[in-house]
């Protein structure tokens, strides 16, 4: 959506490179790329976003590996906020200071 309607700023929380990359990690025994109808190529799309981007993610994310979020951040030339020890659904991503900082930094 940010590529079609440019925002003033964009905050991504635990972004994945593309949906198949996450699926393949969790289901290595399935041909995930062949089964998915939607690709959700986050890394490719975010590289076209003209707005400032902030990527927030947990260092211990068990759903979306931190290395994927780092890869998306690099493609976007994003500000990166890595939360040490945080997993994907930890409360810090709902109302923690890191989330507040990411949003506040994006709107400044």
């Amino acid at each position: 959506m940010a590529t079609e309607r440019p925002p003033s700023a964009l905050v991504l929380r635990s972004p994945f490179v593309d949906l198949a990359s996450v699926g393949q990690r969790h289901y290595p025994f399935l041909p995930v790329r062949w089964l998915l109808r939607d690709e959700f190529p986050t890394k490719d799309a975010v590289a076209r976003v003209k707005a400032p981007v902030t990527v927030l993610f947990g260092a211990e994310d068990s759903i979306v590996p931190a290395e994927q979020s780092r890869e998306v951040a690099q493609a976007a030339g994003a500000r990166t906020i890595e939360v040490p020890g945080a997993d994907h659904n930890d409360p810090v991503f709902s109302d923690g200071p890191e989330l507040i900082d990411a949003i506040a930094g994006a709107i400044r």
Side-chain angles (χ1 to χ4, degrees):
M1 189 163 122
T3 59
E4 295 171 14
R5 297 196 155 222
S8 298
L10 181 63
V11 176
L12 298 175
R13 196 276 233 191
S14 305
F16 47 75
V17 170
D18 58 51
L19 191 55
S21 295
V22 174
Q24 195 66 59
R25 178 179 172 93
H26 294 283
Y27 304 100
F29 51 89
L30 293 175
V32 174
R33 291 197 186 279
W34 291 357
L35 296 172
L36 285 176
R37 297 178 78 145
D38 295 313
E39 295 178 7
F40 296 102
T42 308
K43 179 183 168 186
D44 294 340
V46 78
R48 298 189 313 269
V49 172
K50 302 298 183 208
V53 178
T54 300
V55 172
L56 172 70
F57 62 96
E60 302 301 321
D61 195 318
S62 60
I63 306 296
V64 177
E67 53 270 9
Q68 286 199 29
S69 293
R70 285 188 206 103
E71 199 172 326
V72 170
Q74 184 175 16
R79 172 180 173 229
T80 303
I81 301 174
E82 182 171 346
V83 183
D87 197 357
H88 193 78
N89 293 314
D90 284 357
V92 68
F93 296 117
S94 299
D95 60 2
E98 293 86 352
L99 176 65
I100 303 304
D101 179 54
I103 294 169
I107 60 175
R108 284 185 198 139

